Amino acid sequence: MFPVRLAARLARDLPHADLHVLDHGWTYLQLDAAQELSALVHSFVGTGHGRRSPQPALDT
């Protein structure tokens, strides 16, 4: 179990983070709360915050 107080602290420390508590989700959120989790992921990615920054080219 991940205590909500620690999740709130982590959400404060991460840029663009949102904290969502799914009451009926247990160990496997992707199974227990599949639709809610999917909607949250789609919403997050749609904001652009879920996109990775371009990686700098490495000099070889």
Side-chain angles (χ1 to χ4, degrees), residues 19-40:
L19 176 60
H20 299 272
V21 178
L22 303 178
D23 293 330
H24 56 281
W26 294 92
T27 302
Y28 300 106
L29 281 178
Q30 63 273 31
L31 296 177
D32 299 335
Q35 290 180 338
E36 294 89 346
L37 181 61
S38 178
L40 290 169

Side-chain angles (χ1 to χ4, degrees), residues 1 4-6 9 12 15-16 18-22 24 28-29 32 34-36 42-45 49 58-59:
M1 299 291 296
V4 174
R5 67 179 172 78
L6 294 179
R9 186 172 131 193
R12 273 195 318 269
H16 310 294
D18 292 322
L19 176 60
H20 299 272
V21 178
L22 303 178
H24 56 281
Y28 300 106
L29 281 178
D32 299 335
Q35 290 180 338
E36 294 89 346
H42 283 258
S43 175
F44 180 76
V45 172
H49 295 151
L58 298 175
D59 292 331

